[in-house]
Amino acid sequence: MKIKLIYPEWGNFPLKYRRYIHTLGLITIAALTPPEIGLSFTDERIEPVDFDEPADMVAISAMTCQAKRAYDIADRFRAKNIPVVMGGLHPSLMPEESALHADAVVVGEAEGTWENLVQDFVGGSMKKFYKCVERPKMENVSWPRRDLLAGKGYIPMQSMQVSRGCPVNCEFCSVPGLFGTSYRGRPIKEALAELEKMEEYIFFVDDNFHLAKRRSYELFDGMAGMGKKWTGLAPLAAAQDREYVDRLVKSGCWLLYVDVGPWMSASFGEKRAGFTTAEKHLENIQRFHDAGIKLIASFVFGYDYDDKGIFERTVEFAKKTGIEECEFLILTPYPRTRLHDKLEAEGRIIDRDLSRYTTTNVVYRPALMTPDELYEGYIRAWKEFYSKDVIEETDDGLVVKTMSQFPIDPGVFDRMIDERYRPEDKWVESFVRRERLGK
Ligand code: SF4
C-alpha cells in the first residue's frame, strides 16, 4: 500500500526564498504512518505533481491560500478513483467545505487522529471526518520524517517545532484556531535530542515560543555549544531583556523574524494608549543589532487606523532602523478569525476567492483608503525599501530576489547546486555565484 503526500502550490509571495523552506505538517504525519505503508512526498511549490504516480490514497495539507489548488488536485485524483484525505489549517477551520472535495477530512492536530484514519482505511471503513478531540501531549510528538525531503531543492536549513498554541489570540490570526489558545511545549530534553541529529541551520517554526521564558532559557542553554545556527519568530520586545538576548546569541541565533505589528502603524506622530512607540521599537531593534542579531521585520498594512500616509512612514522608519530585510503584508481576514467575522458583519469583504488570501491582495474594504490605494501603497513600500535589481514585477505579482540574510557557506551552496539546483531558478544561480565570489 502507498500514500502520496502533497503540499500544494501557494501562489506568489514576494520573498521568493520562502517557498524553498520546508514545512513540517506532512512529514510529521509521515512519521505517524505505519512503516509497512509506502510514502511519497511532493511539495508543489518546488516540483510538479505527478498525477500518474500509482497511489492507494492521496493526503493533502493546505493553508487557506492553498485551498483552491488543493481542491483542484483532490478532484483530479478522485476522478481516477483514488481516495483523497485533506487536513492542515484550512480543512481544520472549514471541514464541511473541504469535505466536498475529499473522502475524509482530518480536523485539528494529526497525532492520534491520523493513525485511526489509516487503520480504518486499511480495514476498508474510512469515515468522512476525523476530529482531534483531545490536543496531543507534546511528550508524544514524533520526529518528522526529514528523510522524505532529500534532494528536493530546499534551502539547506531544517525546520523544527518545540511548541504549539498561542494564548495571545490576535483577531486576524488563524493559528489559535488550529493549535489552540494555550501554550504547549515539548519537553526540552526531547527537543535537544532531536536538534542534535539535525543539520547546522535550523528554522524554529513556532509562532511564539519566546512566551515561555524559562523554557526558552532551558532550550537556549542546551543549544549553546551545539554548533547550530538558528532563526525563528520573536516579539521585538524580547530585546528589553538583556539576559535573554545574551542567551539567544550564545545558543546560535543569528537572525530573528520580528512582527513590528499594528502598534507600529499607529505610533507615528502620535502616542496611543497601549501602543508601543516608534522610539521603543527603535531601541529594541538597536539592542538586537548591538548583540549581532540580524532582523527581518514584517509590517502589515490595512488596519482601520492606517491612513494613506502609512506606507511612506513605514519605509522611512524601516530604513532609519537599518533593519536588514522587510516583509510587507496586506491585512487578510482569514476564515474563522475574529477579523473575518467583524468585516463580514460590516459587509466589507469584497473578494471570496481563497487563492487570493495570501496577504498580497486586498480582499476587503479598508476604512481610511480605497482597496486600490491600499494595494498601490503596499507595492510602493516594497519598491521603496528594496533596490531595483532585486525586484521583478511579474504577471503573478512582485518577486523579490533576496536571501541576503542566510549566511550559508559556499560548501553548502555547492551541495545545493549539485543536488538541488534547478535551471529555471536563475536568481538562485546568481545568488550562489555572488556568494562564491564573495561579492
Ligand atoms: S499573530 Fe502571533 S501572537 Fe498573534 S495569535 Fe497568531 S501566533 Fe499568536
Side-chain angles (χ1 to χ4, degrees):
M1 177 168 290
K2 183 176 165 193
I3 301 177
K4 184 174 171 64
L5 308 167
I6 301 175
Y7 193 64
E9 168 60 39
W10 67 3
N12 182 47
F13 288 93
L15 290 175
K16 196 176 175 185
Y17 68 75
R18 286 292 186 80
R19 65 175 56 232
Y20 297 90
I21 297 174
H22 78 82
T23 55
L24 286 172
L26 285 169
I27 57 170
T28 298
I29 71 159
L32 302 171
T33 307
E36 65 275 15
I37 295 181
L39 293 168
S40 74
F41 170 61
T42 303
D43 183 341
E44 203 190 11
R45 298 175 307 161
I46 56 170
E47 60 192 335
V49 174
D50 178 359
F51 287 92
D52 296 322
E53 183 187 337
D56 299 284
M57 183 218 279
V58 167
I60 305 174
S61 171
M63 299 189 294
T64 297
C65 62
Q66 296 166 295
K68 197 170 168 189
R69 176 62 185 157
Y71 297 155
D72 290 345
I73 295 171
D75 294 346
R76 279 185 67 174
F77 279 108
R78 292 178 87 205
K80 294 160 80 101
N81 289 323
I82 299 175
V84 172
V85 176
M86 301 194 79
L89 184 61
H90 189 77
S92 295
L93 299 176
M94 308 286 284
E96 303 294 339
E97 176 195 282
S98 298
L100 299 173
H101 303 270
D103 298 276
V105 179
V106 176
V107 181
E109 292 167 73
E111 287 86 359
T113 314
W114 172 253
E115 297 93 313
N116 293 340
L117 181 151
V118 172
Q119 198 179 28
D120 289 353
F121 179 72
V122 172
S125 60
M126 189 167 73
K127 299 187 274 289
K128 192 76 182 177
F129 294 101
Y130 287 82
K131 221 171 191 161
C132 165
V133 275
E134 196 182 336
R135 295 212 175 269
K137 295 204 179 352
M138 296 302 281
E139 288 77 13
N140 304 334
V141 168
S142 308
W143 294 9
R145 286 274 312 273
R146 296 188 178 88
D147 56 297
L148 292 170
L149 309 175
K152 287 225 181 277
Y154 292 111
I155 291 171
M157 178 169 71
Q158 293 186 315
S159 299
M160 167 74 170
Q161 186 178 47
V162 293
S163 64
R164 291 183 191 166
C166 182
V168 182
N169 202 10
C170 301
E171 66 165 359
F172 53 82
C173 182
S174 36
V175 167
L178 178 63
F179 289 131
T181 51
S182 31
Y183 179 94
R184 288 170 295 139
R186 288 177 64 188
I188 295 298
K189 221 170 130 192
E190 172 79 12
L192 289 170
E194 187 176 338
L195 281 162
E196 282 280 10
K197 299 270 181 231
M198 291 171 66
E199 289 178 6
E200 186 182 4
Y201 286 97
I202 311 285
F203 172 46
F204 285 107
V205 301
D206 303 64
D207 294 290
N208 227 334
F209 79 76
H210 300 260
L211 275 179
K213 202 177 261 187
R214 208 153 33 92
R215 273 178 45 81
S216 305
Y217 279 176
E218 216 184 315
L219 178 72
F220 299 158
D221 292 351
M223 287 182 77
M226 230 187 227
K228 306 289 183 198
K229 297 184 176 69
W230 69 267
T231 181
L233 286 70
L236 199 44
Q240 287 291 310
D241 185 335
R242 283 182 199 279
E243 189 188 346
Y244 191 81
V245 175
D246 189 43
R247 291 193 192 202
L248 266 181
V249 173
K250 287 192 179 126
S251 69
C253 173
W254 95 89
L255 170 71
L256 285 175
Y257 187 96
V258 291
D259 174 14
V260 183
W263 309 280
M264 168 57 71
S265 303
S267 61
F268 293 106
E270 60 175 306
K271 290 193 177 169
R272 292 190 187 197
F275 285 128
T276 308
T277 61
E279 292 76 36
K280 191 51 102 184
H281 284 312
L282 266 173
E283 183 190 316
N284 289 336
I285 290 164
Q286 193 59 50
R287 282 178 180 220
F288 276 131
H289 278 163
D290 288 348
I293 295 178
K294 296 179 177 190
L295 299 174
I296 301 179
S298 84
F299 295 92
V300 180
F301 297 132
Y303 293 103
D304 280 358
Y305 42 74
D306 282 349
D307 62 19
K308 286 187 245 178
I310 184 66
F311 313 104
E312 280 68 32
R313 292 196 304 266
T314 301
V315 173
E316 189 193 335
F317 175 84
K319 284 185 170 173
K320 187 166 145 194
T321 62
I323 281 174
E324 284 76 8
E325 204 169 277
C326 278
E327 180 175 45
F328 303 105
L329 312 167
I330 296 173
L331 187 67
T332 301
Y334 292 108
R336 298 279 152 87
T337 59
R338 283 181 288 132
L339 177 67
H340 185 276
D341 294 348
K342 172 181 168 268
L343 294 175
E344 185 75 281
E346 292 169 2
R348 291 168 61 191
I349 307 274
I350 54 174
D351 190 338
R352 293 177 193 278
D353 177 351
L354 294 179
S355 65
R356 290 173 50 76
Y357 281 52
T358 49
T359 67
T360 59
N361 299 295
V362 182
V363 298
Y364 69 100
R365 249 195 328 276
L368 300 180
M369 58 189 119
T370 65
D372 282 350
E373 285 168 338
L374 174 52
Y375 185 73
E376 284 155 16
Y378 153 83
I379 296 286
R380 235 174 21 251
W382 280 104
K383 286 183 169 174
E384 282 170 17
F385 183 79
Y386 285 97
S387 66
K388 277 195 180 68
D389 54 325
V390 298
I391 294 240
E392 195 183 313
E393 283 192 77
T394 72
D395 291 344
D396 294 331
L398 277 187
V399 175
V400 182
K401 303 166 188 173
T402 172
M403 313 199 319
S404 59
Q405 302 319 314
F406 292 94
I408 299 167
D409 66 46
V412 174
F413 270 111
D414 281 344
R415 268 178 33 223
M416 195 168 171
I417 288 179
D418 294 345
E419 298 169 16
R420 304 163 181 186
Y421 169 68
R422 299 182 314 137
E424 63 269 33
D425 289 325
K426 293 291 179 207
W427 71 281
V428 171
E429 183 189 34
S430 62
F431 179 72
V432 171
R433 196 179 299 124
R434 191 185 64 198
E435 284 296 303
R436 281 179 154 173
L437 296 173
K439 287 179 185 166

PDB file of all heavy atoms in Angstrom, residues 166-170 172-176 207-208 259, ligand 1:
ATOM      1  N   CYS A 166      -1.100  29.412  20.926  1.00  0.00           N
ATOM      2  CA  CYS A 166      -0.715  30.781  21.257  1.00  0.00           C
ATOM      3  C   CYS A 166      -1.840  31.464  22.033  1.00  0.00           C
ATOM      4  O   CYS A 166      -2.945  31.634  21.516  1.00  0.00           O
ATOM      5  CB  CYS A 166      -0.400  31.571  19.995  1.00  0.00           C
ATOM      6  SG  CYS A 166       0.135  33.239  20.394  1.00  0.00           S
ATOM      7  N   PRO A 167      -1.554  31.860  23.280  1.00  0.00           N
ATOM      8  CA  PRO A 167      -2.583  32.496  24.112  1.00  0.00           C
ATOM      9  C   PRO A 167      -2.860  33.949  23.733  1.00  0.00           C
ATOM     10  O   PRO A 167      -3.813  34.540  24.220  1.00  0.00           O
ATOM     11  CB  PRO A 167      -1.989  32.424  25.525  1.00  0.00           C
ATOM     12  CG  PRO A 167      -0.529  32.254  25.335  1.00  0.00           C
ATOM     13  CD  PRO A 167      -0.298  31.641  24.001  1.00  0.00           C
ATOM     14  N   VAL A 168      -2.030  34.540  22.870  1.00  0.00           N
ATOM     15  CA  VAL A 168      -2.225  35.956  22.539  1.00  0.00           C
ATOM     16  C   VAL A 168      -3.527  36.142  21.745  1.00  0.00           C
ATOM     17  O   VAL A 168      -4.264  37.105  21.932  1.00  0.00           O
ATOM     18  CB  VAL A 168      -1.005  36.516  21.761  1.00  0.00           C
ATOM     19  CG1 VAL A 168      -1.188  38.000  21.475  1.00  0.00           C
ATOM     20  CG2 VAL A 168       0.281  36.306  22.562  1.00  0.00           C
ATOM     21  N   ASN A 169      -3.806  35.197  20.861  1.00  0.00           N
ATOM     22  CA  ASN A 169      -5.094  35.141  20.165  1.00  0.00           C
ATOM     23  C   ASN A 169      -5.450  36.440  19.430  1.00  0.00           C
ATOM     24  O   ASN A 169      -6.523  37.009  19.627  1.00  0.00           O
ATOM     25  CB  ASN A 169      -6.193  34.787  21.181  1.00  0.00           C
ATOM     26  CG  ASN A 169      -7.408  34.185  20.504  1.00  0.00           C
ATOM     27  OD1 ASN A 169      -7.367  33.860  19.303  1.00  0.00           O
ATOM     28  ND2 ASN A 169      -8.502  34.053  21.238  1.00  0.00           N
ATOM     29  N   CYS A 170      -4.568  36.900  18.554  1.00  0.00           N
ATOM     30  CA  CYS A 170      -4.816  38.124  17.773  1.00  0.00           C
ATOM     31  C   CYS A 170      -6.031  37.944  16.873  1.00  0.00           C
ATOM     32  O   CYS A 170      -6.280  36.842  16.377  1.00  0.00           O
ATOM     33  CB  CYS A 170      -3.609  38.453  16.904  1.00  0.00           C
ATOM     34  SG  CYS A 170      -2.099  38.693  17.846  1.00  0.00           S
ATOM     35  N   PHE A 172      -6.697  38.612  13.861  1.00  0.00           N
ATOM     36  CA  PHE A 172      -6.523  38.248  12.454  1.00  0.00           C
ATOM     37  C   PHE A 172      -5.875  36.884  12.266  1.00  0.00           C
ATOM     38  O   PHE A 172      -5.700  36.420  11.155  1.00  0.00           O
ATOM     39  CB  PHE A 172      -5.657  39.301  11.745  1.00  0.00           C
ATOM     40  CG  PHE A 172      -4.350  39.551  12.458  1.00  0.00           C
ATOM     41  CD1 PHE A 172      -3.269  38.716  12.268  1.00  0.00           C
ATOM     42  CD2 PHE A 172      -4.221  40.617  13.337  1.00  0.00           C
ATOM     43  CE1 PHE A 172      -2.078  38.934  12.945  1.00  0.00           C
ATOM     44  CE2 PHE A 172      -3.019  40.850  14.013  1.00  0.00           C
ATOM     45  CZ  PHE A 172      -1.955  40.004  13.812  1.00  0.00           C
ATOM     46  N   CYS A 173      -5.488  36.213  13.358  1.00  0.00           N
ATOM     47  CA  CYS A 173      -4.618  35.038  13.247  1.00  0.00           C
ATOM     48  C   CYS A 173      -5.408  33.735  13.324  1.00  0.00           C
ATOM     49  O   CYS A 173      -6.265  33.569  14.180  1.00  0.00           O
ATOM     50  CB  CYS A 173      -3.575  35.083  14.355  1.00  0.00           C
ATOM     51  SG  CYS A 173      -2.414  33.724  14.273  1.00  0.00           S
ATOM     52  N   SER A 174      -5.070  32.792  12.451  1.00  0.00           N
ATOM     53  CA  SER A 174      -5.772  31.510  12.494  1.00  0.00           C
ATOM     54  C   SER A 174      -5.002  30.434  13.248  1.00  0.00           C
ATOM     55  O   SER A 174      -5.490  29.317  13.395  1.00  0.00           O
ATOM     56  CB  SER A 174      -6.128  31.040  11.078  1.00  0.00           C
ATOM     57  OG  SER A 174      -5.157  31.368  10.154  1.00  0.00           O
ATOM     58  N   VAL A 175      -3.810  30.778  13.746  1.00  0.00           N
ATOM     59  CA  VAL A 175      -3.022  29.780  14.490  1.00  0.00           C
ATOM     60  C   VAL A 175      -3.789  29.238  15.710  1.00  0.00           C
ATOM     61  O   VAL A 175      -3.883  28.021  15.902  1.00  0.00           O
ATOM     62  CB  VAL A 175      -1.655  30.369  14.921  1.00  0.00           C
ATOM     63  CG1 VAL A 175      -0.953  29.490  15.952  1.00  0.00           C
ATOM     64  CG2 VAL A 175      -0.762  30.534  13.696  1.00  0.00           C
ATOM     65  N   PRO A 176      -4.387  30.115  16.541  1.00  0.00           N
ATOM     66  CA  PRO A 176      -5.110  29.568  17.707  1.00  0.00           C
ATOM     67  C   PRO A 176      -6.261  28.648  17.298  1.00  0.00           C
ATOM     68  O   PRO A 176      -6.605  27.719  18.029  1.00  0.00           O
ATOM     69  CB  PRO A 176      -5.640  30.824  18.420  1.00  0.00           C
ATOM     70  CG  PRO A 176      -4.726  31.922  17.970  1.00  0.00           C
ATOM     71  CD  PRO A 176      -4.373  31.585  16.556  1.00  0.00           C
ATOM     72  N   ASP A 207       5.241  29.795  16.539  1.00  0.00           N
ATOM     73  CA  ASP A 207       4.723  31.154  16.391  1.00  0.00           C
ATOM     74  C   ASP A 207       5.115  32.032  17.561  1.00  0.00           C
ATOM     75  O   ASP A 207       5.221  33.231  17.434  1.00  0.00           O
ATOM     76  CB  ASP A 207       3.198  31.107  16.246  1.00  0.00           C
ATOM     77  CG  ASP A 207       2.834  30.430  14.952  1.00  0.00           C
ATOM     78  OD1 ASP A 207       3.067  31.032  13.905  1.00  0.00           O
ATOM     79  OD2 ASP A 207       2.356  29.280  14.975  1.00  0.00           O
ATOM     80  N   ASN A 208       5.298  31.432  18.712  1.00  0.00           N
ATOM     81  CA  ASN A 208       5.531  32.276  19.872  1.00  0.00           C
ATOM     82  C   ASN A 208       6.235  31.549  21.020  1.00  0.00           C
ATOM     83  O   ASN A 208       5.829  31.690  22.161  1.00  0.00           O
ATOM     84  CB  ASN A 208       4.175  32.802  20.372  1.00  0.00           C
ATOM     85  CG  ASN A 208       4.252  34.285  20.633  1.00  0.00           C
ATOM     86  OD1 ASN A 208       5.319  34.807  20.906  1.00  0.00           O
ATOM     87  ND2 ASN A 208       3.122  34.957  20.566  1.00  0.00           N
ATOM     88  N   ASP A 259       7.711  40.673  14.164  1.00  0.00           N
ATOM     89  CA  ASP A 259       6.491  41.310  13.672  1.00  0.00           C
ATOM     90  C   ASP A 259       6.389  42.667  14.364  1.00  0.00           C
ATOM     91  O   ASP A 259       6.193  42.731  15.574  1.00  0.00           O
ATOM     92  CB  ASP A 259       5.300  40.411  14.040  1.00  0.00           C
ATOM     93  CG  ASP A 259       3.990  41.074  13.702  1.00  0.00           C
ATOM     94  OD1 ASP A 259       4.002  42.074  12.973  1.00  0.00           O
ATOM     95  OD2 ASP A 259       2.944  40.579  14.176  1.00  0.00           O
TER      96      ASP A 259
HETATM   97  S1  SF4 B   1      -0.250  36.509  15.329  1.00  0.00           S
HETATM   98 FE1  SF4 B   1       1.333  35.538  16.584  1.00  0.00          FE
HETATM   99  S2  SF4 B   1       0.932  36.338  18.656  1.00  0.00           S
HETATM  100 FE2  SF4 B   1      -0.951  36.689  17.461  1.00  0.00          FE
HETATM  101  S3  SF4 B   1      -2.229  34.863  17.829  1.00  0.00           S
HETATM  102 FE3  SF4 B   1      -1.057  34.499  15.959  1.00  0.00          FE
HETATM  103  S4  SF4 B   1       0.732  33.367  16.655  1.00  0.00           S
HETATM  104 FE4  SF4 B   1      -0.163  34.359  18.474  1.00  0.00          FE
END
